[in-house]
Every structure is written in C-alpha cells, then in structure tokens.
Amino acid sequence: MKNISVKLKLLILTVPLIACIIILVAFAAIEIRGTEEDLNEVYYETLYKVADLLISADRDLYQADVDAVKILLAKQHFDEAQIDEMISDFNSNAQQVYDELRQADAIAKNVPSLYNEVVSGTSDTFSALMKRTEDELDEWTTMADLKNGEIDEFDAMSAQFHAVRDPLGEMGDAIEQWAVGEHEELSAANTRLIITSATIFIIIAVLLLVLAIHIMRLITGGLAEATERINLLA
C-alpha cells in the first residue's frame, strides 16, 4: 500500500467509519420502530381495548341489575307501561354486555399468550373465563320472569349476578397481569438489544482503530520517505 496516495488512504480510513455509523443508525431506527409497534400492540391494541370493553360490560351489567332490582322490589310503585320500559332497558343493557364480551373475546383470541395460557394470579385461561362469564350471564338473564316475577326471586338473581361478575372481574385481572408480563419481556428484550448493539459497536470501533493506526503508519511512512527524497535532491 506504499504507492497509494494520501488522499486514497484517508478515504480508506473514513469510508468504513461512515458506512458503519450509517448501518448502526439504520439498525437502531428499525429496532426502535419495532419496539414502538410492540408497545402499541400490547398497550393499545390489546390492553386498552380489551380492558375498556370489560369495564363497559361490567357497567352495563350493573345497569341491567338495577333495572331488575327496581322491577322485582318495587313493582307495585310502577304502572304496566313503566315496567315494560324497565324490562326493555334490562334486555338492552344485557345485550350490550353480550356484545362487549364478544368484542373483547375477538381481540383476545389474536393473542395466544393471553387467551390460551393461565396468567399469574388467575384461576383459568382467558378463554375459559370468558365462557364461564357468558354461561353465567345466560343463566342470570333467563332465571327470572321480570314481568310476573315476585320479590322472592330477587335473592336468586342477586346471587347469580355475583356469579357473572366473578369471572368477569378475573378477566380484568388477567389482562392487567398479562400486560405486566409482556412489559417485562419487552424490557428484557430491549436490554439484550442494547448490550448486543454496544458489543457490535465496540468490536467495529476496535477494528476501525486498528485500521486507522495502520493507515496512519502508512501515511507517516510515506511522508518520511518523501522527506528523505527531498533531502537527497537538496
């Protein structure tokens, strides 16, 4: 490499450095984008949407229960038209619970680690808890004749109401615990990525340092040789 010009030697030194920096920046950008997509999948597409639907289902279940309680415990204070309206409200709220549970189920199905595995702190898989909730809800919505029912049916409906809420609440716990686990996995993956990237950067830096020392020696040698020739000519 003695006959290579100083300009070309400097290019040999700087081009690999620039290329490595560009590659590392591009790699970091891709990984950051991937992490952003993973976080969006965990926290918005799954956690937020499923949790919001379960909260809405719980709220509508309570509202339906309020309608049933008013009918069974205070029927004598309402006329037939008012009772029919409350029964309609009960059915409407119960249907909303079904709809929200099915929407939550459809989203959770796309995440096997949530849907098919038992999450820490829960008694069963999300899919099994969903089925229990729907089965208990079926029982609750059909167990009393609200139009002609008597006050003694209130205790049975109240007990069944809590039977619906138990697995429903457990699903809420499951989605939260799942999100915590996913966050820990993402954090661990990011830590591994940082360590790997730092290791690669250090290796490249060492190689470039070796190359730089070699090029500088060639440049120094070339300058010394040129100086010697000038002295001889002088």
Side-chain angles (χ1 to χ4, degrees), residues 107-124:
I107 297 172
K109 276 182 180 177
N110 297 321
V111 187
S113 60
L114 166 65
Y115 197 70
N116 298 320
E117 298 177 15
V118 179
V119 179
S120 175
T122 59
S123 63
D124 213 333

Side-chain angles (χ1 to χ4, degrees), residues 20 23-24 27 192-208:
C20 288
I23 291 171
L24 285 173
F27 176 75
R192 290 193 296 270
L193 175 62
I194 291 170
I195 294 173
T196 302
S197 300
T199 302
I200 293 172
F201 185 81
I202 291 171
I203 292 172
I204 292 174
V206 170
L207 292 175
L208 288 174

Side-chain angles (χ1 to χ4, degrees), residues 67-68 70-72 74-75 77-93 145-149:
D67 294 327
K70 285 194 297 186
I71 296 169
L72 291 174
K75 183 181 297 184
H77 300 295
F78 303 105
D79 59 34
E80 187 171 349
Q82 290 174 313
I83 292 173
D84 288 341
E85 182 178 355
M86 285 187 288
I87 291 175
S88 177
D89 290 340
F90 172 86
N91 292 330
S92 176
N93 284 308
D145 179 2
L146 295 180
K147 181 74 173 179
N148 303 303

